Amino acid sequence: MLLGIFDFHITAAKDRSWNLQCMIQKCAKSGLLSEGNACHAHILQSGLQLDILISNMLINMYCKCGTLGSARQVLEEMPQRSIISWNTIIGAYAQIKLAGQALSLFMKMRKEIIQVNEFTISSVLCACAAQCAIFECTQLHGLAVKTGILSNVYVGTALVDAYARCASMDDASRVFDILGEKTDVTWSTMVTGFVRNKLYEEALMFYRRTNMINIKQNNFTVSSVLSACASLAAFIEGKQVHAILCKVGLETGVYVSSSLLDMYARCGSIAEAYVVFSEHGDKNVVLWNTMLSGFSRHGRWRETIILFEKMQQSGLSPTEVTFVSLLSVCGHMGLVEEARKYFDLLGKDQYVPQTVIHYSCLVDALCRAGQIHDAYDLIKSMPFEATASMWGAFLAACRKYGNLELAEVAAKCLFDLEPTNAGNHILLSDAYAANKQWEDVARSRKTLKESEAKKEKGKSWIEIKDKVHTFMAAERGHPRVAEIYVELDELIKEIEKIGYKAQLEHDFHDVDGSRKEELLRQHSEKLAVTFGIMSLPSGAPIRIMKNLRICGDCHSFMKFVSKVIHREIVVRDVNRFHHFAHGHCSCRDFW
């Protein structure tokens, strides 16, 4: 019994104080709140609360036990407080993301004219970072300079992290550059900051710098870099990071493995993703869900369903994310009844409630299968407000299946939800064009022009020898553009011999057939795959990334090209992966 020490008749004040200090330390280390309260009571009975050291230890004990209210009460009742008193409780509030209280205490501390130190500044910066409080960050930056603390590596790293979390990477970079001492954590903070702010190319460039000067690798850096590679579809760079992992012998925990798996899946290599998954021994729900998401994105519905069953057999319970993968793959592969089954199963599972994302997946599945009225009924009856993604899927389905009445209903909702998204106006315009209602097309285009909506330009990119080549429709800026168009013309002649014919219905301009054919020929994914054929070794798979949905004509083009060149073509569009081989696509022409 820890409190047995109080059974001794302690007469000397020094001995009593020493024993109490030992007791408080034990309570703090083991999280023994009841015993800690007893120590506090004994301190009050003995009149030792005036001892700053003992009061500071009490504050620390209460913070470690998670009772910050009691810690703050001790602080308030202290007749004299030291910097340790303030630092302990400010740090505790910052650690549990109660930034407002941490900042409030810091301001109170400053009024007492307590001299701050590196621990104070670091803790308050963490609080500012949690609240993205850029103004307070700049003030603390000035204070750190004024007090000469900025040179401290912990303060400098905390300031870099705070600026990065406040989306001010220019300020973060400036602080990083002036720091004399930098640890591997400082470098990792910069890489993570770039990735958090979606500056993926900058993150990779910065990571290369760490390798050039042999900065020690850590899991945070590697996970962030792999995330950047996944976002850019930088397959070669991702494989290089994997090789570095193996070379330095860095232990790949579940989160690094999950990032590695996700990188391979999002770069189009689902087979290598599965190897990473299979080789990891202790799999948690994050790893299972990442693999399920990868299979789902690649349209591997059988593998998705089998893996889901294996996940349940392993004893792990599915999560909301698990069912998103299941519903998504069913929708993309036209498996409507299976989607309904999993949606109903989700509703019966008391641990996983149906969310708006699950409803969105089911709406999408119904829309893709042409069950427009069922989708509309679901949107009207569900317990959530319909999201822009639901109405977007619904509008696209109305365009495809020629239901102009409901297309206009969906478009009206989308214009309210996303007034600056030009894609919605274009979808409605395309729906009119598909029905040859050119006056409505002109009116819709005029409305778009007069609005503040901005159209996202379609582009495709391909990685060749560590360099990313980007193509827009009707590209003219690439240094080898003339060769690409000549090669493309030859390629089209070859595939026309085996049955390819441009699908003019996928161009919605009011122009004649020959002009439509010319416009379709200039689509960015056709240029990218042609460049890949010209530049990659014979037999190597060609991986194309696209920021929009691949059109029907380009989809047909890719199938015929894969048959002629006898190699796999992988296209990642905004929705999913398409694997073209031997004249067929993994999506079975359902996307």
Side-chain angles (χ1 to χ4, degrees):
M1 184 74 179
L2 279 171
L3 291 180
I5 193 168
F6 293 134
D7 294 337
F8 293 97
H9 298 289
I10 301 170
T11 54
K14 185 177 179 181
D15 289 342
R16 186 161 58 247
S17 175
W18 171 254
N19 278 280
L20 281 167
Q21 289 175 34
C22 292
M23 284 296 301
I24 296 167
Q25 285 178 322
K26 287 180 181 178
C27 293
K29 186 175 181 181
S30 303
L32 303 171
L33 180 59
S34 298
E35 287 82 350
N37 284 329
C39 288
H40 192 178
H42 199 77
I43 287 166
L44 293 174
Q45 290 172 5
S46 306
L48 292 171
Q49 69 271 25
L50 300 179
D51 187 317
I52 293 178
L53 175 60
I54 287 181
S55 291
N56 284 345
M57 294 175 81
L58 272 176
I59 291 171
N60 179 60
M61 182 271 296
Y62 280 127
C63 288
K64 292 285 177 64
C65 291
T67 54
L68 270 64
S70 298
R72 189 158 184 171
Q73 185 178 349
V74 173
L75 180 79
E76 299 289 352
E77 292 174 354
M78 289 174 69
Q80 185 178 358
R81 294 175 275 260
S82 69
I83 191 169
I84 295 173
S85 318
W86 292 100
N87 282 350
T88 303
I89 194 164
I90 288 172
Y93 274 120
Q95 192 171 18
I96 60 172
K97 304 292 189 286
L98 293 175
Q101 289 87 330
L103 287 168
S104 173
L105 280 168
F106 175 70
M107 297 304 294
K108 193 171 183 178
M109 171 189 176
R110 293 290 290 155
K111 287 177 182 176
E112 289 195 9
I113 322 179
I114 300 288
Q115 182 64 45
V116 300
N117 62 17
E118 62 270 23
F119 300 107
T120 321
I121 298 288
S122 297
S123 295
V124 181
L125 279 169
C126 289
C128 291
Q131 281 198 333
C132 296
I134 185 67
F135 179 70
E136 286 79 1
C137 281
T138 55
Q139 287 185 313
L140 287 165
H141 187 175
L143 181 62
V145 172
K146 182 180 177 182
T147 54
I149 296 174
L150 185 58
S151 58
N152 181 277
V153 66
Y154 299 107
V155 173
T157 302
L159 187 57
V160 167
D161 182 58
Y163 276 133
R165 290 178 185 273
C166 293
S168 183
M169 284 307 299
D170 287 342
D171 288 320
S173 297
R174 278 191 284 271
V175 173
F176 179 87
D177 289 338
I178 65 172
L179 287 179
E181 181 186 358
K182 302 178 181 77
T183 66
D184 61 305
V185 176
T186 315
W187 286 87
S188 177
T189 302
M190 279 296 291
V191 174
T192 305
F194 280 125
V195 173
R196 184 180 289 115
N197 288 283
K198 298 184 178 179
L199 299 169
Y200 304 119
E201 292 182 7
E202 289 84 347
L204 293 183
M205 289 171 62
F206 208 85
Y207 178 68
R208 293 184 196 115
R209 285 177 61 188
T210 69
N211 288 329
M212 288 170 64
I213 57 177
N214 295 319
I215 297 296
K216 184 182 177 182
Q217 303 283 327
N218 63 50
N219 287 343
F220 297 107
T221 310
V222 171
S223 293
S224 295
V225 171
L226 288 169
S227 177
C229 292
S231 298
L232 291 172
F235 180 67
I236 297 172
E237 190 108 27
K239 283 186 74 72
Q240 289 172 348
V241 175
H242 191 181
I244 290 171
L245 273 175
C246 298
K247 182 180 178 181
V248 301
L250 185 67
E251 184 178 349
T252 54
V254 68
Y255 291 103
V256 171
S257 291
S258 180
S259 298
L260 191 59
L261 189 163
D262 185 56
M263 181 276 295
Y264 277 125
R266 290 172 65 187
C267 288
S269 184
I270 194 67
E272 288 180 270
Y274 189 68
V275 169
V276 173
F277 175 79
S278 301
E279 290 179 348
H280 198 282
D282 187 20
K283 301 178 182 69
N284 69 358
V285 71
V286 173
L287 204 63
W288 283 93
N289 279 341
T290 306
M291 191 68 245
L292 282 166
S293 175
F295 277 141
S296 175
R297 229 185 264 123
H298 285 261
R300 300 287 189 91
W301 64 273
R302 288 190 183 88
E303 290 89 338
T304 306
I305 291 171
I306 291 169
L307 194 68
F308 171 65
E309 292 172 353
K310 286 183 177 180
M311 177 184 178
Q312 291 181 302
Q313 290 167 7
S314 74
L316 286 172
S317 298
T319 66
E320 293 178 9
V321 177
T322 312
F323 282 97
V324 168
S325 295
L326 286 165
L327 290 167
S328 179
V329 74
C330 289
H332 279 280
M333 301 308 294
L335 307 173
V336 180
E337 292 310 312
E338 285 80 358
R340 289 183 187 273
K341 182 188 78 173
Y342 286 119
F343 186 81
D344 292 339
L345 178 64
L346 180 68
K348 293 173 185 174
D349 193 330
Q350 60 179 319
Y351 301 108
V352 187
Q354 293 169 338
T355 68
V356 68
I357 299 175
H358 300 126
Y359 273 94
S360 183
C361 289
L362 185 56
V363 167
D364 185 62
L366 294 168
C367 287
R368 290 176 184 277
Q371 299 179 21
I372 296 174
H373 291 285
D374 287 346
Y376 190 48
D377 290 341
L378 181 62
I379 289 173
K380 290 191 296 182
S381 63
M382 68 182 185
F384 303 100
E385 288 292 324
T387 62
S389 65
M390 287 186 196
W391 286 120
F394 189 70
L395 177 55
C398 290
R399 181 196 67 177
K400 181 176 180 180
Y401 294 103
N403 193 321
L404 284 179
E405 182 183 351
L406 289 179
E408 289 173 340
V409 172
K412 185 179 182 301
C413 295
L414 281 168
F415 296 160
D416 291 336
L417 289 169
E418 297 179 327
T420 60
N421 186 348
N424 299 325
H425 291 271
I426 293 167
L427 268 176
L428 180 61
S429 174
D430 290 349
Y432 288 134
N435 286 271
K436 298 186 174 14
Q437 296 185 203
W438 301 115
E439 288 184 8
D440 289 321
V441 171
R443 176 173 51 81
S444 181
R445 295 277 175 171
K446 184 182 177 184
T447 303
L448 171 58
K449 192 173 182 180
E450 291 172 350
S451 72
E452 295 181 358
K454 296 180 180 178
K455 178 186 177 183
E456 183 179 9
K457 292 184 177 180
K459 62 181 179 181
S460 301
W461 61 97
I462 182 171
E463 187 181 15
I464 307 286
K465 294 180 181 178
D466 261 357
K467 184 178 179 182
V468 175
H469 297 260
T470 303
F471 296 88
M472 311 295 285
E475 178 69 39
R476 289 289 181 268
H478 193 277
R480 298 182 64 186
V481 69
E483 296 175 64
I484 292 170
Y485 278 113
V486 170
E487 183 69 24
L488 177 57
D489 286 339
E490 292 299 319
L491 196 57
I492 291 174
K493 288 176 185 176
E494 283 294 312
I495 61 177
E496 282 177 340
K497 293 176 184 176
I498 59 171
Y500 169 73
K501 187 176 181 181
Q503 299 181 8
L504 304 185
E505 65 272 18
H506 293 289
D507 181 83
F508 299 105
H509 295 89
D510 185 14
V511 293
D512 62 35
S514 60
R515 179 58 181 153
K516 283 178 179 285
E517 194 169 333
E518 178 64 19
L519 290 170
L520 289 170
R521 169 181 170 269
Q522 297 174 352
H523 279 194
S524 62
E525 51 267 62
K526 290 187 176 81
L527 300 173
V529 78
T530 303
F531 183 64
I533 294 169
M534 293 165 55
S535 306
L536 291 168
S538 177
I542 300 170
R543 293 184 172 88
I544 309 294
M545 309 298 152
K546 183 173 173 61
N547 66 329
L548 302 176
R549 180 180 181 273
I550 186 172
C551 81
D553 179 64
C554 288
H555 192 271
S556 173
F557 173 86
M558 296 294 175
K559 288 197 297 181
F560 279 101
V561 170
S562 70
K563 191 172 184 178
V564 166
I565 64 174
H566 306 293
R567 58 206 286 190
E568 184 184 22
I569 301 171
V570 182
V571 177
R572 186 184 88 178
D573 70 6
V574 70
N575 291 323
R576 58 170 301 143
F577 279 90
H578 299 263
H579 293 258
F580 300 94
H582 311 296
H584 301 281
C585 179
S586 59
C587 75
R588 300 185 301 180
D589 298 337
F590 192 93
W591 81 104

